[in-house]
Structure formats: structure tokens, C-alpha cells
Amino acid sequence: MSEHKHPEMPSDELLVAFLDGELAGEERRRIGALVESDPEVAARYEFLSRSEMPFYDAFVPLLENAPASDLEAILARLPSPNAAEPRGHNWTRRGLLAAAVASVFVGVAIDRAYLRIKDDHEEADGSEWRSVVAEYLSLYTADTLADLANDPGVQTAQLQLISDRLGLQLPASALTLPDIPLKRAQLLQYDGRPLGQLAFLDPEHGPLALCIVKSSRGAFAPQVEKRYGMNVVYWADAAHGYMLVGRNPVDQLSGLAEKLRTAISA
């Protein structure tokens, strides 16, 4: 009985060239037949064809800016495709260059995917929400909050809404900071979860915000970090995560955070 040999898996460069219509003649028919008949080749083709990246559109600017002379020199040193492959590789010169650029592009994409996974792993402690909030608040200026009226009735209603959604008590009388008025309390959303933001206006350092989300990661003591040029003090109790973020010096911000933490936990 003769042994059945599995057809050789085409390279990603070949499949990309096939997707872009850069193959012709026998080579195109050969790859097309493999896609139709071989499950592994079909699966790889499907992966490349349903990628979120439009390959042709993505490779064109890369091809235009590629070191063509270097790639041409490399290709000139390669054996004739027709001699190396009896089935024939009727590639255009542009097709070969596109495939070479494609291999570089795919490598960059893999590197970026790895970095994204790495970032996700590093954010496993739940710190991603702090990054989002700090970036958002970095857009605030004193003028963002200056014209908001300090209406105790309105603020009490705003705090009550946040209290109800987050399941904790936020009495307006306790959430006062020395010479730093509360300007607004609003309910936002992060990753499908309610996020409460209490915005204060420090006359010297500008906007300052206490932000709160529900969290089941467990309690921990206040810690300090810096994000998007903003100083952050963050902590958690059994049910919520907190952060106080602003441009205040770290020592001052830590003191304010401790006052708020004590008031909320009382």
C-alpha cells in the first residue's frame, strides 16, 4: 500500500499573494486546489482572509516605502523560482516584493499582539480603569469646572444617584476638602460597570477627582502611582476600588485621599 503524503503547507507569503491576486497560472491553480482540498491549508487561508487587517490596503503603503533596492538584491541572489519549483511560480516582481513586505508586516503584527497580551497581563490587577480615568482627567482644565454652580441640593442628588448605583454611602457633609470645593458628582460607566466621579477644583493645582468602581479584588491600603502626568492615590475595600487623581503634589494628594477614605468608611 502506498503511503499518502500530506501536501506541503504553503507559506503565509504565498497565501497572502494568493489573497491579493498576485499569483497566476499554475501556481494560482495549485494554491486554489490546496485551499479547496486540504483542511489545514483551508484553515490557514480562512484565518488570513478573515483577519481584521485589510492585507492589500495595509501592504501597499509599506511596499511603497520598502527598501526596494535591498529586496531586489536579495531576490536576484535567489534561484529561479521555476527551476526550484517544477510546478512553476509565476509571480510578478511586485508580487514577490509584496510577499516579502508581508512577512515583515505579519511579524510586526505578532509583536504587537504579544505586547497587547503582555499589557493585558500586567493590567490583571484591575489597574486598567485607573489608566482610563487618569487619561480622561488629564484633559480637564480649571475652566472645565469653574463655571459649575456649587448648588448643595443638586450635589446631594448627584451623590445619591452614585450611592444607589454603587451600593455605598456618600454623604455630602463628609466629602469636603479644605479650600477645595466639590463642583460636580456624576455617574459614568467603565467596562459595563458604573463609575462614580466626584470632581473638585483646587484653586492652586486645578481639577481633582475621586473615582469609585465596584470591585471584588479585595481590600488593600493606599498606594501611589503616576499616569498621564497625573498623580494617583488608589486603594480598595472589600467591595469597591477608589482613586484620587490630580496634579497636586503626592504628599498633599495622599493626605486628601486619607481624609476621603476615612469619611467613606465611617
Side-chain angles (χ1 to χ4, degrees):
M1 181 181 293
S2 61
E3 181 182 357
H4 174 71
K5 293 185 178 179
H6 189 283
E8 181 182 355
M9 171 69 74
S11 67
D12 283 355
E13 291 88 346
L14 269 174
L15 290 173
V16 167
F18 181 77
L19 281 167
D20 286 347
E22 294 286 351
L23 298 184
E26 180 60 28
E27 186 63 3
R28 180 167 183 82
R29 286 190 289 274
R30 183 177 77 86
I31 298 300
L34 284 174
V35 170
E36 291 293 328
S37 62
D38 187 275
E40 291 186 17
V41 176
R44 188 62 183 169
Y45 175 81
E46 174 66 16
F47 169 78
L48 293 172
S49 64
R50 64 186 170 85
S51 170
E52 293 179 358
M53 296 177 295
F55 282 96
Y56 183 80
D57 293 341
F59 294 155
V60 166
L62 290 176
L63 183 58
E64 296 300 329
N65 293 290
S69 59
D70 293 341
L71 292 173
E72 291 277 3
I74 293 171
L75 292 173
R77 294 196 296 270
L78 294 176
S80 168
N82 289 328
E85 294 287 343
R87 292 190 178 95
H89 283 263
N90 296 323
W91 290 37
T92 64
R93 176 67 62 173
R94 183 175 177 83
L96 285 168
L97 290 176
V101 174
S103 66
V104 175
F105 183 81
V106 170
V108 171
I110 291 171
D111 286 344
R112 288 181 176 176
Y114 167 76
L115 291 175
R116 176 63 181 173
I117 292 170
K118 181 173 180 289
D119 287 344
D120 288 346
H121 175 73
E122 289 176 351
E123 298 285 14
D125 64 345
S127 61
E128 67 276 7
W129 78 278
R130 300 198 304 272
S131 182
V132 171
V133 169
E135 183 179 15
Y136 177 59
L137 198 72
S138 70
L139 303 176
Y140 279 32
T141 69
D143 291 336
T144 307
L145 302 174
D147 292 335
L148 297 179
N150 297 330
D151 186 323
V154 171
Q155 291 178 358
T156 297
Q158 292 171 344
L159 288 169
Q160 188 59 55
L161 175 61
I162 296 173
S163 297
D164 292 342
R165 291 296 303 277
L166 292 177
L168 78 168
Q169 294 301 312
L170 294 172
S173 57
L175 298 172
T176 58
L177 297 174
D179 301 318
I180 304 176
L182 176 66
K183 302 295 291 185
R184 178 178 62 199
Q186 60 181 338
L187 188 66
L188 306 174
Q189 179 174 284
Y190 172 75
D191 196 24
R193 295 176 292 166
L195 186 154
Q197 183 198 72
L198 283 61
F200 302 83
L201 183 56
D202 186 319
E204 182 177 357
H205 300 291
L208 178 72
L210 172 66
C211 297
I212 311 166
V213 294
K214 286 187 176 181
S215 174
S216 58
R217 298 178 183 275
F220 57 84
Q223 301 180 46
V224 176
E225 64 183 3
K226 194 176 188 72
R227 292 179 181 266
Y228 294 96
M230 313 287 285
N231 290 320
V232 178
V233 180
Y234 64 99
W235 68 96
D237 58 25
H240 299 89
Y242 306 83
M243 65 180 288
L244 184 65
V245 52
R247 297 182 179 85
N248 302 60
V250 171
D251 289 347
Q252 183 188 36
L253 197 68
S254 296
L256 296 172
E258 185 59 30
K259 183 180 188 306
L260 292 170
R261 188 170 78 100
T262 301
I264 292 171
S265 61

